[in-house]
Amino acid sequence: SEERDHPSHSSRHVADLPERPQISGEFAFKLYDTYGFPLDLTELMAREHGLTVDVAGFEKLMEEQRERARKAQKKQEISVEEGELKVEPTKFLGYDFLETESVVETVLPGKKSGELNIVLDRTPFYAEMGGQVGDRGLLHVPGHDWTEVGKLRITDTQKRGDAFIHRAVIAEGRAPESGEAVRVSVDADRRRAIQGHHTVTHLLHWGLHQIVSPDATQKGSYVGPDKLTFDFSSAALTKQQVRDVEKLVNEKIAENAPVSWTEIPYAKARNRNDIIQFFGEKYGDIVRVLQIGGAPRALNGYSMELCGGTHVNSTGEIGPFRIVREEAIAAGTRRIEAVAGHAARNWAKQEAARQQEKFELLARKKPDIAVLPLFESEAATTEMLEQIDARATHLEKVEAEVREWEKRSAKATEAKIRSRAAQIANDLARSHAGRNFCVAEVPDADGKLLQAVVEALKRKIKGPIFLAGARDTSVALVAYVPKELTRKFQANKLIQQIAPIVGGKGGGRLESAQGAGKDASKINEALTEAKRLLSLA
């Protein structure tokens, strides 16, 4: 039964022993082999009850198990990626434990240099499945007298068939050998973040059904320590719908409802419309139902899904939840990216930095904008998210203000340019009266001003116009040829011939062309060449 097999009841086996001087090695091995109960803990609990443990008998049985593992190991070095691995199924203890003693089934080389693929008889490490990433942590190789002869970093956990593959690199000492007992421990903080994101993914799925549509069906997900993504079938969500879903999920988190799981026959789950299951997914005869709310394991929660992942014990453990993006990834499929708990805190800090950059950019354009509200990086996560919202509202307002100011400034600048251009055009028209072309330098002029001068001047002079100007170290050139004269002169050719003189280039059409250069000291030479070319006709 579930009661008998559940590892959390292993301590009861020790407490219920009849009064006798020694716990047999066979019983201590059963506690370890069946429940993942380490020998040192069995010895500690035995001492509390005035008992001893037959350690020699335990070690004999452990050695027999190691020998079986050695014999079962394939001698040739095979790649687990090629699906040739043949070992006993790995027993997963990660729902209840984050640290266990295990026996190494086999050690194989990984694809990457220095990487090992280690298979254990039992493990608390969750292998990547159902969108949830694999666990990371440490593997310790103990020597005699509890000294450590090796320490490895487990960088990922994958599943091949029924075997859990621990991808590892040596941090200190040596790698474990087949049949050797090791101690493995999951990175608890990372797992905690992943579990929060996995449970809140279920809440998000439920929330979408409540706010958007019961037809918002899950299409895929990613559950990691840094964020979660949830893909679902739907039209685009409105901003209000996104806010409403986020609010509802946070309300359910605040309720601190129990999160429980129970195993039932798939046939029973299949007949329950209130238990979400995924069409096309292959399920075994026994399935695990993850329930949020209701009485624990009573299958009466408001959210119930078939799920083999790891989860928090109550929604309050998740922490503040924030949707950071909602977007299309395919026709009819949307993706929500979100963060919760510590990941939401990290996101808020990063978002505050992005907001500061945006504010500084706006302030460079218009220095007198209102100051950005304060962000306190040591505040509670909920307060940090509220500050982010206040700053976002402020930035929207300031951005609109700067846009309006830029429009007004552009209009004023344009008017000023037109006014100055008209004055310059009048002066040039007077100084070139009676000539059949105009070649001139305009002081402190860029391409925009020269173009405006040409527009005003071409109504006053009937022939070609060639203007040059310099501002700072940049040279601007503009050429204009009336349409009726383009058989004799071409504006683009004039620019192409003259621009290299000032260290530049340019181009355009027969009637109008522009160029730019970097050598202002050659402007007079360029103008002389323009006069020569226009005098050839």
Side-chain angles (χ1 to χ4, degrees):
S1 71
E2 184 179 312
E3 175 76 11
R4 185 184 70 241
D5 292 340
H6 200 280
S8 61
H9 303 297
S10 49
S11 59
R12 195 180 304 159
H13 286 277
V14 177
D16 291 346
L17 281 171
E19 290 298 323
R20 56 182 175 177
Q22 190 176 62
I23 293 174
S24 70
E26 185 180 353
F27 189 81
F29 182 74
K30 180 184 177 184
L31 288 176
Y32 165 75
D33 192 51
T34 307
Y35 304 109
F37 219 61
L39 177 64
D40 52 354
L41 196 53
T42 301
E43 287 182 295
L44 177 66
M45 296 185 73
R47 280 197 298 273
E48 290 174 356
H49 290 81
L51 304 170
T52 60
V53 178
D54 177 11
V55 176
F58 173 88
E59 290 293 352
K60 182 174 180 290
L61 291 167
M62 280 292 291
E63 185 54 40
E64 288 174 4
Q65 188 180 66
R66 288 173 197 144
E67 188 58 34
R68 285 194 297 273
R70 288 190 194 102
K71 287 178 180 176
Q73 182 185 15
K74 279 194 165 188
K75 296 302 177 186
Q76 68 268 35
E77 290 189 344
I78 55 172
S79 168
V80 296
E81 280 78 9
E82 293 168 5
E84 299 173 10
L85 191 64
K86 290 183 180 178
V87 292
E88 289 297 310
T90 307
K91 187 169 185 178
F92 178 60
L93 303 175
Y95 294 134
D96 302 283
F97 297 103
L98 291 180
E99 185 174 340
T100 62
E101 284 185 353
S102 305
V103 174
V104 177
E105 293 279 350
T106 187
V107 180
L108 300 166
K111 275 190 170 180
K112 298 176 185 174
S113 175
E115 184 184 74
L116 298 171
N117 289 316
I118 301 173
V119 182
L120 307 172
D121 65 335
R122 72 200 62 242
T123 184
F125 283 71
Y126 184 84
E128 182 175 335
M129 282 179 289
Q132 180 175 329
V133 298
D135 279 331
R136 295 177 184 173
L138 294 173
L139 183 149
H140 300 272
V141 186
H144 298 294
D145 303 323
W146 299 101
T147 57
E148 188 172 273
V149 295
K151 182 167 82 172
L152 291 84
R153 284 197 327 275
I154 295 175
T155 58
D156 190 17
T157 311
Q158 295 288 322
K159 198 175 182 187
R160 295 291 180 270
D162 292 324
F164 284 47
I165 312 297
H166 303 78
R167 298 225 160 105
V169 291
I170 297 172
E172 296 172 17
R174 66 167 176 83
E177 297 174 357
S178 177
E180 198 164 26
V182 295
R183 179 173 284 275
V184 288
S185 55
V186 173
D187 181 335
D189 290 339
R190 184 175 180 272
R191 166 74 86 80
R192 195 176 299 116
I194 293 168
Q195 291 184 163
H197 278 151
H198 201 154
T199 304
V200 86
T201 300
H202 285 229
L203 282 177
L204 173 60
H205 195 184
W206 173 83
L208 286 166
H209 284 178
Q210 307 306 306
I211 302 295
V212 180
S213 167
D215 298 324
T217 308
Q218 180 175 348
K219 294 295 183 184
S221 66
Y222 163 84
V223 177
D226 53 333
K227 66 176 182 179
L228 70 94
T229 63
F230 186 78
D231 304 341
F232 58 102
S233 55
S234 175
L237 272 60
T238 65
K239 286 187 177 180
Q240 189 59 50
Q241 283 178 318
V242 172
R243 282 192 291 267
D244 289 346
V245 169
E246 183 181 282
K247 181 173 180 286
L248 180 59
V249 170
N250 276 311
E251 286 170 358
K252 289 300 178 182
I253 290 170
E255 284 178 6
N256 200 26
V259 178
S260 61
W261 64 271
T262 187
E263 290 183 344
I264 63 172
Y266 177 57
K268 182 179 176 182
R270 191 174 51 202
N271 294 326
R272 293 276 299 260
N273 293 330
D274 54 348
I275 297 177
I276 295 176
Q277 49 207 284
F278 303 103
F279 181 75
E281 190 80 16
K282 291 182 180 178
Y283 294 106
D285 294 337
I286 301 297
V287 290
R288 189 171 187 264
V289 182
L290 194 286
Q291 169 187 327
I292 305 176
R297 300 182 182 86
L299 296 182
N300 62 352
Y302 58 82
S303 166
M304 293 186 289
E305 293 189 26
L306 299 188
C307 180
T310 62
H311 291 267
V312 298
N313 293 313
S314 61
T315 59
E317 294 176 28
I318 296 168
F321 170 75
R322 170 56 57 98
I323 294 174
V324 300
R325 188 174 292 111
E326 190 273 333
E327 61 190 357
I329 59 165
T333 304
R334 309 295 298 179
R335 171 172 290 171
I336 282 178
E337 183 179 323
V339 287
H342 193 69
R345 189 176 187 83
N346 288 340
W347 174 83
K349 290 178 181 178
Q350 292 163 7
E351 183 65 11
R354 287 189 287 267
Q355 289 176 331
Q356 185 63 36
E357 284 179 18
K358 190 173 184 179
F359 176 79
E360 288 171 5
L361 184 65
L362 292 168
R364 282 198 290 274
K365 293 179 179 179
K366 189 174 185 290
D368 61 343
I369 57 175
V371 177
L372 188 64
L374 186 67
F375 176 78
E376 298 176 62
S377 59
E378 299 303 316
T381 306
T382 304
E383 289 175 29
M384 289 168 73
L385 293 173
E386 287 171 355
Q387 289 169 8
I388 289 294
D389 291 341
R391 287 158 66 96
T393 302
H394 180 83
L395 280 170
E396 279 181 24
K397 186 179 174 183
V398 166
E399 200 168 14
E401 180 189 319
V402 170
R403 268 199 310 269
E404 193 56 40
W405 175 80
E406 283 180 323
K407 283 180 188 175
R408 291 196 304 270
S409 298
K411 283 181 181 177
T413 302
E414 219 171 281
K416 191 184 286 187
I417 289 171
R418 280 199 302 269
S419 174
R420 188 182 168 202
Q423 187 180 344
I424 294 168
N426 287 335
D427 292 345
L428 289 173
R430 279 194 298 270
S431 62
H432 289 74
R435 299 184 193 177
N436 56 2
F437 62 82
C438 172
V439 174
E441 179 181 1
V442 178
D444 188 29
D446 58 12
K448 193 177 282 187
L449 176 60
L450 294 183
Q451 196 67 46
V453 171
V454 167
E455 284 300 314
L457 187 58
K458 68 185 183 182
R459 293 190 292 271
K460 304 173 187 293
I461 290 181
K462 299 299 180 184
I465 301 169
F466 188 93
L467 302 178
R471 181 169 289 173
D472 299 324
T473 57
S474 298
V475 177
L477 306 172
V478 173
Y480 165 75
V481 176
K483 190 174 183 180
E484 61 272 17
L485 295 179
T486 51
R487 286 190 176 184
K488 292 183 180 180
F489 310 108
Q490 295 80 38
N492 53 354
K493 285 188 178 178
L494 284 171
I495 290 291
Q496 286 163 7
Q497 287 174 285
I498 297 168
I501 296 172
V502 292
K505 58 184 179 179
R509 302 189 308 276
L510 297 177
E511 295 174 48
S512 177
Q514 294 185 58
K518 296 177 182 177
D519 191 351
S521 66
K522 298 287 181 68
I523 285 180
N524 286 336
E525 189 180 324
L527 295 175
T528 301
E529 178 62 10
K531 287 174 185 175
R532 186 186 74 78
L533 290 170
L534 290 172
S535 300
L536 291 176

